[in-house]
Amino acid sequence: MNPNTGAPVDGNKTLAQLWDRTRMQGDMPGFAKAITAILSAMRGEDDVEFNMTQTVLSDPVLTQKVLRLANSGMYSAFGQHVSTVSKAVLVLGTDAIGHLALGLKLIEEMSVASPNSSIAHVEMEKAVLAGMVAQQVATSASSIHAEEAVVCSMLHTLGRMMITFYMPERWAVMQQIAGEGNEDDAAMRVLGLTMEEVGRAAAIHWGLPKNLLNGMRSVGPAEPGAEVSPADWVAGLSTMAARCADSLWHDDEDGAAEVKRITESYSGMLGVDAEQMGEAIERAKAVAATDLSIAPLSKPAERRAKALAKTRQRAEGNKVLLSGLADMRDMVDTASPGQMVAMALETVYNGLDFSRAVAFVRNRREGRYSAKLCFGDGVKAMLPEMVFDDAYEPNVFHAALNSDRVIFIENAKDPKFAAKLPQWWKANLSEARSFVILPLLANSQPTGFLYGDWDESFPPIQLSQNEFTLLNEIRSLVVKAVERRHQLEAVGNRVG
């Protein structure tokens, strides 16, 4: 019914007006074309990597984000520097880049200037949050339909995105009738269509594949023991993820309780037990807190305050690094390698405000590395347990020692990174969220390394280029002392 006249609203007229506005304002702008290119690149049978490379290179912002991700701590742990999109596609995989591209397009393309862009932006971020939830849950389920489920979850509330973006005046009427958060209840009265029908119509208008149309459906939890088709599984996950995103948005107790209820009701249908589902949601929240910009979940004001405090703290920390470096330069010609290691470890521990810092020494005769010196609460008791063989294993520590470069791991808790972490680290240091490895190689042979980490009590860490330079200078001074000791021993052996 028309709220003003009481006459029924013609849904076809609503859609006709919607398409008129997309032509005038741009198709969300450029989103339809971009999403089609991205999906084609993800699904292309021939030259998939090349297609994705071309898709990425067509967007300078996406190019920059893809290269930054490929060179982040998680992916660059093995000494590779990624300077081309072609290599980034090989390192990251087309799925990861496709998800990044879709999220970027939703946030940055669709939330350009519009009469009510802030409301549209909220819907965009909720859609991206739904994709994050779906990605984590699908990973827990080890599903071959994970990529499809992530895309469908982001498109599940497409109707809400379309109306907030193109018809903000109708959205305002729906809010007046049904109240904020319940706009869907007034959709038929104001639009002559449900929100789901608007989203489906837009997807058909864009020519999206049928499997995505199926996955965008709202599907309730299946009965216990009922057989679930792949299409219903995708639709069920996208429904669950969208509902969770809406409840997670405000980051309050009521929302958390609702998320628990939603996940428990869908657990059997999706084949992921409730506890695993809860852990997946927590991982999605952690990603969202960093990546989203206006959600209360991301605490934008708090992040700004923390960033300012971190900047000030980092400036003070750099002074500590410089001061410690000066002390090491003064002592490098007289101090023993052990003394230089102690000075270096203390300097990086205080300068970077590590939660814990440990020095490891290689014993060639025994063929192993052992933790010898440490700073931080509770670390000393763990020293005897932090021992591992010097024979190469495919993990981040041996990779650092082989590459002879400072390694920074930004997110050690990422499930994809678990295989690169050795058991001794998982048993003793797994509270760390981020960590740094400073390999010490004398005459091209590893002699040990310095390790420092930050736990969850610290805001997300990013090391500056200046800090990397200072860390390299610190480790070069330790190595100089070790090489001087080796030279003295060699002279002593010749004289003897």
Side-chain angles (χ1 to χ4, degrees), residues 12 93 98 102 105 208 337 375:
N12 289 326
L102 287 169
K105 291 301 177 187
L208 294 187
F375 294 101

Side-chain angles (χ1 to χ4, degrees), residues 173-456:
V173 173
M174 289 156 62
Q175 282 192 326
Q176 289 171 5
I177 293 173
E180 188 174 344
N182 301 310
E183 297 85 3
D184 290 27
D185 296 340
M188 281 300 297
R189 288 182 62 185
V190 178
L191 305 172
L193 298 156
T194 65
M195 285 295 191
E196 185 173 338
E197 287 170 338
V198 174
R200 183 176 179 82
I204 292 171
H205 186 69
W206 292 345
L208 294 187
K210 285 185 179 179
N211 61 322
L212 291 190
L213 291 173
N214 272 333
M216 291 166 61
R217 290 176 294 136
S218 288
V219 173
E223 292 295 323
E227 188 173 339
V228 180
S229 68
D232 283 349
W233 187 91
V234 171
L237 177 53
S238 71
T239 305
M240 185 278 298
R243 291 177 182 174
C244 281
D246 194 49
S247 298
L248 286 169
W249 176 260
H250 290 290
D251 196 29
D252 56 19
E253 289 184 8
D254 289 344
E258 180 63 10
V259 167
K260 191 171 187 294
R261 188 195 67 75
I262 293 168
T263 53
E264 286 176 351
S265 68
Y266 278 90
S267 172
M269 177 183 187
L270 300 177
V272 182
D273 68 49
E275 186 176 344
Q276 270 186 300
M277 196 93 83
E279 291 171 358
I281 298 289
E282 288 303 311
R283 290 196 298 271
K285 283 175 64 178
V287 175
T290 302
D291 289 358
L292 299 184
S293 58
I294 62 171
L297 177 68
S298 69
K299 300 178 176 60
E302 183 179 317
R303 282 167 66 188
R304 281 194 295 272
K306 279 185 177 179
L308 183 59
K310 192 166 70 172
T311 300
R312 290 171 180 159
Q313 181 183 343
R314 192 60 63 82
E316 292 301 314
N318 283 351
K319 291 178 185 176
V320 173
L321 292 177
L322 286 167
S323 176
L325 196 54
D327 289 344
M328 291 175 68
R329 285 196 191 102
D330 290 342
M331 301 295 294
V332 68
D333 292 327
T334 56
S336 69
Q339 290 168 330
M340 290 295 285
V341 166
M343 278 193 285
L345 194 67
E346 181 183 356
T347 297
V348 297
Y349 175 72
N350 291 322
L352 294 178
D353 204 16
F354 283 135
S355 300
R356 300 169 297 195
V358 186
F360 288 77
V361 175
R362 182 186 187 188
N363 185 318
R364 290 195 188 182
R365 289 198 188 104
E366 297 178 6
R368 65 179 188 172
Y369 290 90
S370 305
K372 295 296 185 184
L373 184 65
C374 64
F375 294 101
D377 293 340
V379 191
K380 192 170 184 180
M382 296 189 288
L383 287 183
E385 304 298 321
M386 290 191 281
V387 177
F388 62 96
D389 291 342
D390 65 1
Y392 181 82
E393 293 179 3
N395 64 54
V396 68
F397 291 90
H398 280 292
L401 291 163
N402 270 21
S403 66
D404 190 21
R405 63 191 285 267
V406 174
I407 295 290
F408 167 56
I409 302 302
E410 184 179 354
N411 182 13
K413 294 186 179 296
D414 191 308
K416 296 175 185 173
F417 194 67
K420 300 180 178 70
L421 294 167
Q423 188 55 44
W424 64 265
W425 184 93
K426 293 176 182 177
N428 298 286
L429 301 170
S430 59
E431 291 177 9
R433 179 179 62 199
S434 307
F435 63 82
V436 176
I437 306 168
L438 281 71
L440 305 172
L441 275 70
N443 301 315
S444 301
Q445 292 296 314
T447 62
F449 62 92
L450 306 182
Y451 166 93
D453 66 29
W454 298 271
D455 61 25
E456 293 283 0

